[in-house]
Amino acid sequence: MADKLLIIMVNTDPKNPSELGAPFFQATVAAAMEYDVEVVMTGRAGELAKKGVAENLFVQEGSPKSVYDFIKDAHEAGVKFKVCTPTLDLWGDDMIPEVDETVGGAYVIGEAMDDDTVTFTY
């Protein structure tokens, strides 16, 4: 059985904040279940790693909890956040402090192909 969950956020658009709750919530639950969990943000979803973006997005209108609060909860549960190198070219390098590392495409492919890893994409 796999012991790692890799969540790749590439298609999730910050302009549709209702899409953003599930990946972070599932990452938090998996970490609480003591799985090794990584969330890689790239492409359009990489904008969420930029300071000031996730803080101003809410999964549900009227909710007091921002998308950034979901990210902080996941990080506190042990989720490791990474961004792909092209994300820095698109959105700059002023990242939220929860981003643990910048990785390249070879890292993502290597992890996704590992037999001990289950990969979800959003």
Side-chain angles (χ1 to χ4, degrees):
M1 182 167 90
D3 59 0
K4 181 175 183 175
L5 174 62
L6 176 66
I7 294 178
I8 302 172
M9 295 184 67
V10 63
N11 296 314
T12 307
D13 189 339
K15 291 181 181 174
N16 297 317
S18 63
E19 300 175 359
L20 302 174
F24 297 121
F25 180 74
Q26 290 172 0
T28 303
V29 170
M33 295 172 68
E34 300 186 4
Y35 288 104
D36 181 16
V37 183
E38 291 182 3
V39 173
V40 177
M41 295 182 277
T42 190
R44 183 72 191 159
E47 187 178 14
L48 296 170
K50 182 180 176 182
K51 283 185 183 173
V53 174
E55 293 93 331
N56 294 306
L57 297 173
F58 297 86
V59 172
Q60 185 173 354
E61 189 175 324
S63 172
K65 190 170 185 171
S66 71
V67 171
Y68 184 55
D69 291 324
F70 280 94
I71 292 171
K72 290 189 297 186
D73 289 347
H75 195 258
E76 288 174 17
V79 175
K80 296 175 203 95
F81 285 92
K82 302 178 185 227
V83 295
C84 275
T85 307
T87 299
L88 302 178
D89 293 336
L90 288 171
W91 311 115
D93 61 1
D94 191 18
M95 299 284 135
I96 57 175
E98 290 74 18
V99 173
D100 298 299
E101 187 178 359
T102 301
V103 296
Y107 175 85
V108 174
I109 298 301
E111 292 300 305
M113 298 301 292
D114 189 298
D115 289 339
D116 292 329
T117 302
V118 171
T119 304
F120 293 175
T121 60
Y122 293 91

